[in-house]
Amino acid sequence: MNSNTPTNTPSATPSPSGVVYGDIAFWMAVAGSMVAIVGMFLYFTGNQFFDSESLLNGICRGQRADQIWLNASPAKNVLSGHWYLHHLGTSDGISMLGIGIACLAGVFGAWGSFVTMAIKKDNPPVFVIFVFVIALILSASALGWVSIH
Amino acid sequence: MSVMDKIEILKGIDNRDDTGTTGSETHRSNRYQVIKTLLLIVATASAGFGAIFGSIGTEMTALGPTLFFIGLILVCASIGIFAVLAGVGGGVIFVPLFMGFTNIDSYIIRSTGLFVATVGALIAARPFLRKGIANIRLLYTAALPYAVFAVIGSLMAGYIKSSMGPSSEAFIQGTLGVLVIGIGVLFVMKKNSEYPDVNHVDAFTEAMNLPMPYFEDSLGKVVSYRVKRAKVALVLFCVVGLISGLFGLGAGWAMVPVFNMVMLAPLKVAATCSKVMISIGDTAAVWPYIQGGGMFPLFAVPSMIGMVIGTLIGTKIMLRVKAGFIRPLIIIVMFGSGIRLIMKALG
């Protein structure tokens, strides 16, 4: 066959490892988004981590991110890493947790896909290695191991 | 009707009149819908920008953050509508527009742009993988260099920010300006093919065993396909990943042409693989921005909500309107944003 055309090939079943990635990624992204939205609504009822006046001023007036941290955060410094885990009592902390959960969706999805691919053996071994390396890169990134901060 | 006849019909689907009516009546109806859509986008964006600028003067009261929040949702909703109709990801419009036309720090805009693109892609990926249209062999092979270089790009962004000081802003704006104009040129020249012909497959691509057939609902058939030039594509994905990580752009605008025009994968496979790859590569790239303090919920969450709402509205509009009119508009927006970014960089 020389061209990419539809044929009467008997079946085309989706790869279980792909399905697992899609399901984990979808539900974690939805859950994370919901938590972030809940946190944002709590923001308007008070108990904020950032001083809202300084934060809004800083964002709208074009201050650099680190300058905003200096002016608006109680720490008066840039809190690198997963700072929100130590401030879950604040609305910003909850919102950032939601953002974190959504951004972890791809990481967990990749590990789920790796495990499924390794167990089911539905693809050549080279792809198991690929998804394993991808999962490692995503995990290293999420854990802050590849951060310059 | 033969399968090839059906393909020809699908290729020409934009030219069909799906209401059954013909001639000037249909043309008038579509023109009315087009005007309504444009007015909706302009009104939403104007209301949003009005609320954002209103919020700056009222930051001393509780109304400031609320207005900012609502305004940002409206602006991002209009971007989302526009993006769907133009057939691109929201990130590629979000980042240049906000960087070109607001004072907001580019590091914050890029981290939020990546977050918005990532969440959109994570949610959109599921049906493509469940139906098997997104080919996981193809996308994992491409995602590896893409993710590595997306991380390198985001680390470079952090390094440029910390080492170049205030001049980093001008550097990023100028480079992105040139890039965005390049993307505009790509939109002008782009000629995707739904089912490209593959005459000869090189040994490396053959050995990779990348193709996975999928069932095409519209044809009621299984589509078997082949791809080629995997080596060239892997190099290109390194470049695309670097750009995505450095500038915070979702990179569907570049990935689809690489899959479809370089590797000659069917257009549907290219588009779906690109969406899933954004969810992987941008996950890797977004974390260094988060860890570097570039993400603020007051900016990120309404942007995400607006983009999701806009995408849903845009999808509904797309079913009723022939969206070809958006294509010249997005080219104008890309050129306008690019020129504005270069002007800002030059001071």
Side-chain angles (χ1 to χ4, degrees):
Chain A
M1 187 180 67
N2 286 335
S3 60
N4 288 333
T5 53
T7 64
N8 288 318
T9 309
S11 69
T13 47
S15 167
S17 51
V19 174
V20 166
Y21 174 84
D23 284 353
I24 294 175
F26 176 84
W27 288 112
M28 278 191 72
V30 169
S33 303
M34 290 298 148
V35 173
I37 291 169
V38 168
M40 215 59 244
F41 280 109
L42 292 174
Y43 183 89
F44 297 111
T45 63
N47 199 17
Q48 300 144 348
F49 175 76
F50 292 106
D51 173 54
S52 63
E53 186 190 324
S54 309
L55 176 62
L56 188 61
N57 255 329
I59 291 176
C60 292
R61 297 190 198 285
Q63 286 178 0
R64 287 164 59 88
D66 40 12
Q67 192 65 42
I68 295 174
W69 274 91
L70 288 179
N71 296 334
S73 83
K76 301 296 173 198
N77 199 1
V78 181
L79 296 182
S80 303
H82 299 274
W83 61 268
Y84 49 90
L85 293 177
H86 307 289
H87 299 279
L88 289 176
T90 65
S91 53
D92 305 77
I94 295 171
S95 264
M96 270 308 295
L97 174 71
I99 291 172
I101 292 170
C103 292
L104 276 175
V107 184
F108 281 86
W111 281 115
S113 187
F114 162 69
V115 171
T116 311
M117 209 182 264
I119 293 171
K120 297 255 182 190
K121 295 184 172 57
D122 56 335
N123 285 289
V126 66
F127 297 104
V128 184
I129 298 168
F130 283 174
V131 70
F132 175 69
V133 177
I134 288 168
L136 276 183
I137 293 167
L138 298 189
S139 303
S141 177
L143 291 169
W145 294 347
V146 290
S147 171
I148 62 164
H149 301 279
Chain B
M1 185 183 288
S2 74
V3 169
M4 289 314 291
D5 288 341
K6 284 187 178 179
I7 294 172
E8 286 308 313
I9 289 171
L10 285 170
K11 282 179 179 174
I13 204 156
D14 280 344
N15 302 320
R16 272 193 319 181
D17 181 352
D18 40 28
T19 61
T21 53
T22 56
S24 61
E25 193 183 319
T26 312
H27 183 68
R28 261 201 307 277
S29 162
N30 190 55
R31 200 167 55 185
Y32 174 66
Q33 294 282 2
V34 166
I35 292 168
K36 251 181 30 178
T37 307
L38 285 176
L39 283 176
L40 175 70
I41 294 172
V42 171
T44 312
S46 307
F49 273 117
I52 289 173
F53 288 120
S55 69
I56 300 169
T58 54
E59 68 267 20
M60 298 302 283
T61 68
L63 203 59
T66 313
L67 269 180
F68 181 80
F69 185 84
I70 295 168
L72 206 50
I73 288 179
L74 291 174
V75 170
C76 291
S78 60
I79 292 175
I81 296 170
F82 191 67
V84 170
L85 295 177
V88 296
V92 76
I93 304 177
F94 176 89
V95 175
L97 268 186
F98 272 89
M99 272 178 68
F101 297 98
T102 70
N103 290 328
I104 300 169
D105 180 27
S106 77
Y107 196 70
I108 300 173
I109 295 171
R110 284 177 284 151
S111 64
T112 304
L114 271 177
F115 169 63
V116 166
T118 306
V119 171
L122 284 164
I123 292 174
R126 189 178 181 228
F128 303 146
L129 289 161
R130 280 196 156 264
K131 289 196 77 83
I133 305 172
N135 176 340
I136 58 151
R137 292 183 194 170
L138 196 55
L139 72 90
Y140 281 150
T141 305
L144 192 52
Y146 177 76
V148 169
F149 278 83
V151 172
I152 293 172
S154 57
L155 291 177
M156 276 173 66
Y159 177 75
I160 289 169
K161 180 178 77 101
S162 53
S163 66
M164 288 177 70
S167 61
S168 69
E169 196 75 359
F171 173 77
I172 291 291
Q173 282 168 346
T175 321
L176 182 63
V178 173
L179 178 70
V180 165
I181 290 173
I183 297 171
V185 172
L186 188 70
F187 283 146
V188 174
M189 296 170 60
K190 197 165 74 172
K191 284 188 173 62
N192 289 327
S193 172
E194 198 156 5
Y195 296 102
D197 288 334
V198 180
N199 296 319
H200 170 73
V201 179
D202 55 284
F204 177 75
T205 314
E206 192 79 63
M208 290 294 291
N209 190 18
L210 294 170
M212 294 177 82
Y214 70 94
F215 186 79
E216 175 58 61
D217 279 339
S218 60
L219 300 170
K221 295 276 181 188
V222 171
V223 176
S224 294
Y225 58 91
R226 301 195 300 173
V227 291
K228 61 193 285 188
R229 294 195 285 257
K231 269 188 206 166
V232 181
L234 291 180
V235 175
L236 291 173
F237 281 121
C238 295
V239 179
V240 176
L242 194 71
I243 290 170
S244 179
L246 182 57
F247 295 108
L249 301 171
W253 54 270
M255 281 192 264
V256 175
V258 174
F259 279 127
N260 183 241
M261 292 157 69
V262 177
M263 296 188 82
L264 302 184
L267 185 56
K268 214 167 195 176
V269 175
T272 53
C273 281
S274 131
K275 205 69 178 170
V276 182
M277 264 179 67
I278 290 173
S279 76
I280 296 171
D282 288 2
T283 292
V286 76
W287 279 105
Y289 281 96
I290 293 176
Q291 314 255 0
M295 189 82 74
F296 294 97
L298 184 61
F299 187 63
V301 177
S303 301
M304 176 200 71
I305 296 171
M307 206 67 87
V308 171
I309 292 172
T311 305
L312 294 174
I313 296 172
T315 310
K316 288 205 172 211
I317 293 173
M318 200 165 185
L319 295 174
R320 287 185 283 128
V321 179
K322 287 176 183 167
F325 71 95
I326 285 286
R327 194 175 165 80
L329 282 183
I330 192 166
I331 291 164
I332 293 168
V333 168
M334 298 314 270
F335 280 116
S337 304
I339 291 166
R340 171 84 185 147
L341 280 164
I342 292 170
M343 283 167 63
K344 275 181 87 172
L346 296 174

